[in-house]
Amino acid sequence: MPLAHGRHLVSIPGPSVVPDRVLSAMHRAMPNIYEGALVDTSESVLADLPGIALTKGQAFLAIANGHGAWEMALTNTLSRGDKVLVLESGRFAIGWGEMGQVLGLEVEVLASAGPGEPVDPAAVEAKLREDANHEIKAVLIVQVDTASGVWNDIQAIRKAIDAADHPALYMVDCIASLGCMEYRMDDWGADVTVGGSQKGLMVPPGLGLIWASAKALAAHKTAGLRTAYWDWTARMKEGAHYLRYCGTPPIQHIYAMREAIDMIQEEGLENIWARHLVFADTVRAAIDAWSTPNGLQFYVSKPDHRSNSTTSVRTGGIDAARLRAICEKQAGLTLGIGLGDDEGTTFRIGHMGHLNPPMVLGTLATIEASLTAMEAPMAGSGIAAAAKTLAPGLKADQVPAGQVNGFRP
């Protein structure tokens, strides 16, 4: 007998749960798109977006998903034949590089040590030192790889680039980390930051976000891959509002983003980062308690490189597809699938955005109940471990110590 009645819960690493406030903001008739409230709201969003990435750089909004934002970043800063270095730590940096190849870029991949491993800063420094003629024009990395759940140390990679005295643009994909984990674009020396609306920013898919530093804007002036739709120059021109979007604006998404930014400002970025750390530690406690040699295991072996927004879990001898099917059809919980070669042997838990303890504990309890229904091996109770980990955070005005400064070291 299916028990999947009531509100369905999606616990995938994006699209994340959209708050009721954001949904309500979207529910409106079509406005005047030439002047008035919509234009004012749109300009306020563009003005406030730099605060999300902690930058003084220029923000751009595109009607696109994260892949569109990838293309906007590349076409506005590079030229056909330019060489880029992709720092692999899972599926998504590779995908960004593949997009560059289609555009006519020469792409070189610096592979990680293996699946679930982060980018090694020392390897980046060594690779860039070899590039004595500075043929590499850009370095591409993801802060969190949505497929593997790997967290990369963006500061350490910047230091590696500087140690090699290399002038390449530093481009960081923060699609799965913005609004979830600490990120400081200017302080950490990123030249381009790429984001998407549908994860930690709590807005439905449909907006690609870019933040560009002064160095990136300077590169834009000579970029040979510029296209009419993505072009930053046109989007920065003074004049009609449609220039910001190269056409009709994404009306509902603009109002959604305005409401989401308001919510982020009300809670405060550092409080948001701390909340995500608490929930991530709660999820990790459950997985650690469940883990057995022939059952569930962390995809990312190094604890310091597990992200606070999404966790990938290897299932060993447990049928991942069956586990997901029981959670979905019997209980009303959707878990993320394994991507690429990991499909069928991995599932993913998204713990990002608009979350509270009942949602996180409910997800974990449903997974444990489903594993029990399958008679799958578990070393212990994950939900008991999760509850114990979460408990200190339920004390008034107190957050568990967690990692250094409550965030990443």
Side-chain angles (χ1 to χ4, degrees):
M1 176 186 69
L3 303 176
H5 296 275
R7 177 172 289 189
H8 193 96
L9 180 59
V10 176
S11 292
I12 66 176
S16 65
V17 173
V18 178
D20 288 342
R21 280 178 59 177
V22 173
L23 291 172
S24 295
M26 298 176 72
H27 189 67
R28 61 184 66 229
M30 293 298 97
N32 181 344
I33 65 171
Y34 309 111
E35 65 248 333
L38 172 68
V39 174
D40 293 343
T41 302
S42 174
E43 295 296 347
S44 76
V45 166
L46 287 165
D48 283 352
L49 278 175
I52 302 298
L54 297 181
T55 180
K56 295 179 180 178
Q58 178 73 43
F60 299 93
L61 275 178
I63 305 172
N65 56 21
H67 291 68
W70 281 349
E71 186 163 313
M72 177 182 265
L74 297 176
T75 57
N76 276 286
T77 57
L78 300 168
S79 298
R80 185 174 295 275
D82 281 352
K83 187 174 184 179
V84 299
L85 180 65
V86 172
L87 308 182
E88 180 268 334
S89 59
R91 179 71 197 106
F92 282 86
I94 294 293
W96 198 359
E98 289 170 347
M99 179 169 285
Q101 285 182 313
V102 173
L103 292 169
L105 299 174
E106 181 184 344
V107 177
E108 183 171 356
V109 176
L110 180 63
S112 63
E117 294 291 323
V119 175
D120 179 5
V124 175
E125 181 181 343
K127 185 64 183 177
L128 293 178
R129 286 187 182 278
E130 293 173 5
D131 184 33
N133 296 325
H134 296 163
E135 295 179 0
I136 295 170
K137 303 303 179 185
V139 174
L140 278 55
I141 188 173
V142 298
Q143 186 180 26
V144 171
D145 182 79
T146 316
S148 65
V150 167
W151 170 81
N152 286 305
D153 191 335
I154 300 304
Q155 288 177 285
I157 302 299
R158 174 76 261 178
K159 290 176 182 177
I161 296 170
D162 291 344
D165 195 23
H166 202 286
L169 290 168
Y170 187 29
M171 300 191 184
V172 184
D173 173 331
C174 291
I175 294 171
S177 55
L178 273 178
C180 305
M181 299 182 66
E182 184 176 13
Y183 180 73
R184 302 178 184 273
M185 179 175 170
D186 289 357
D187 289 351
W188 296 356
D191 296 304
V192 175
T193 298
V194 176
S197 59
Q198 74 273 22
K199 297 182 186 287
L201 300 184
M202 306 178 292
V203 171
L207 289 181
L209 300 92
I210 295 285
W211 293 262
S213 69
K215 182 178 177 180
L217 293 174
H220 169 72
K221 295 177 181 178
T222 58
L225 286 176
R226 287 165 58 177
T227 64
Y229 183 72
W230 300 121
D231 186 47
W232 288 347
T233 294
R235 290 170 182 259
M236 288 188 291
K237 279 184 180 178
E238 294 294 330
H241 181 245
Y242 76 85
L243 293 171
R244 302 286 176 270
Y245 303 96
C246 194
T248 306
I251 295 163
Q252 265 64 28
H253 280 76
I254 290 171
Y255 283 109
M257 185 60 73
R258 178 66 269 164
E259 194 67 29
I261 292 173
D262 288 347
M263 293 177 68
I264 290 169
Q265 291 174 338
E266 290 164 12
E267 186 176 359
L269 270 177
E270 292 198 353
N271 291 327
I272 291 170
W273 298 336
R275 174 167 56 85
H276 278 78
L277 172 62
V278 171
F279 291 148
D281 281 344
T282 300
V283 170
R284 290 189 279 258
I287 296 166
D288 192 50
W290 291 329
S291 293
T292 60
N294 61 331
L296 303 187
Q297 296 282 336
F298 285 104
Y299 193 97
V300 179
S301 59
K302 297 177 181 177
D304 286 347
H305 285 276
R306 295 170 186 160
S307 84
N308 289 350
S309 57
T310 179
T311 298
S312 294
V313 185
R314 297 183 188 277
T315 56
I318 300 169
D319 186 336
R322 185 181 172 210
L323 173 62
R324 289 186 62 254
I326 292 173
C327 287
E328 174 132 14
K329 296 176 182 177
Q330 298 296 112
L333 170 71
T334 298
L335 299 173
I337 62 171
L339 299 180
D341 294 339
D342 297 314
E343 186 174 357
T345 61
T346 302
F347 70 88
R348 295 176 298 149
I349 303 171
H351 34 93
M352 54 173 60
H354 189 60
L355 292 180
N356 60 24
M359 298 163 75
V360 175
L361 293 175
T363 294
L364 298 173
T366 301
I367 293 171
E368 182 163 317
S370 299
L371 289 167
T372 301
M374 295 172 66
E375 299 183 352
M378 289 182 284
S381 172
I383 194 61
K388 184 176 181 179
T389 300
L390 181 63
L394 300 179
K395 296 179 181 179
D397 300 321
Q398 182 176 330
V399 174
Q403 297 165 357
V404 177
N405 297 324
F407 314 121
R408 289 289 181 181

